[in-house]
Amino acid sequence: MPKIPTKYKFKKRPPNGFSKIEPTLAKFSAKMKAAESKPLPLNRPKHESTWEIYKLNHQRSRYIFEIYYKKKMISRELYDWLLTNKFGDKELIAKWKKKGYENLCCLKCIQAKETNQGTTCICRVPRATLKETQKDKGKDTRCVNCGCRGCASSD
Ligand SMILES: [Zn+2]
Ligand SMILES: [Zn+2]
């Protein structure tokens, strides 16, 4: 299981603008901490224990991506600082800039060897296609890596 950091020690003082986004980042940290200590309901499979963490990690990276690339709220300096201090997943954000990966949930889902049969993760299959091929309703179509319900760009 990859260790997703929830606590930070800053090597350098944060650049200007950090105080503006700090409350939001603190909220993410608090949620991550809570998720890490929360026991999984007894009837759920073990692999689901990391889903919540993945989700929060994704949301926080997304937040940084949005405030820098979309809303242009923060400086390049602060953006780089945030990534250096692991507030966002640099590799995941790099994927979001690529066509077809705009909504990618986590890097595991595109590493073919990590998925069940070395095929594309179920969450990368467009929902429209999925409905046709998976007529058996009630089947859990969430991916085992992070619990994603679908992150193809066409969804
Ligand atoms: Zn996904
Ligand atoms: Zn997946």
Side-chain angles (χ1 to χ4, degrees):
M1 197 218 301
K3 188 99 185 91
I4 296 165
T6 51
K7 274 192 200 131
Y8 306 93
K9 259 198 212 130
F10 304 136
K11 288 193 196 93
K12 251 172 56 185
R13 253 193 62 214
N16 280 344
F18 181 70
S19 58
K20 218 166 39 180
I21 59 168
E22 199 177 7
T24 310
L25 295 173
K27 261 182 230 163
F28 278 121
S29 294
K31 276 190 199 166
M32 282 171 165
K33 239 177 139 180
E36 271 183 345
S37 54
K38 197 172 70 185
L40 195 69
L42 285 173
N43 56 343
R44 304 307 303 170
K46 216 175 155 213
H47 65 249
E48 292 188 11
S49 63
T50 50
W51 285 5
E52 185 75 18
I53 313 275
Y54 266 117
K55 201 178 87 190
L56 291 164
N57 197 51
H58 173 107
Q59 285 173 353
R60 194 175 55 176
S61 293
R62 196 88 207 173
Y63 170 69
I64 292 165
F65 173 78
E66 298 262 327
I67 58 174
Y68 180 65
Y69 286 102
K70 310 267 170 183
K71 297 183 185 148
K72 307 201 188 321
M73 260 171 64
I74 58 169
S75 65
R76 176 82 212 188
E77 194 195 359
L78 180 53
Y79 174 74
D80 286 339
W81 185 91
L82 288 168
L83 296 188
T84 307
N85 286 282
K86 307 240 177 342
F87 281 101
D89 187 330
K90 203 178 187 170
E91 287 173 51
L92 187 59
I93 290 176
K95 293 281 182 238
W96 289 339
K97 290 187 268 179
K98 288 191 182 143
K99 209 171 165 0
Y101 292 93
E102 294 93 338
N103 303 316
L104 182 68
C105 53
C106 76
L107 291 168
K108 261 193 151 184
C109 290
I110 51 168
Q111 287 160 0
K113 63 175 176 353
E114 301 262 5
T115 60
N116 298 337
Q117 285 90 29
T119 51
T120 311
C121 182
I122 195 155
C123 71
R124 299 293 303 151
V125 180
R127 296 292 105 172
T129 317
L130 205 60
K131 261 179 213 150
E132 274 169 40
T133 51
Q134 300 219 320
K135 287 281 186 223
D136 50 319
K137 284 185 201 105
K139 197 168 187 281
D140 198 350
T141 54
R142 287 179 296 179
C143 87
V144 296
N145 296 327
C146 59
C148 173
R149 288 175 186 277
C151 60
S153 298
S154 53
D155 285 348

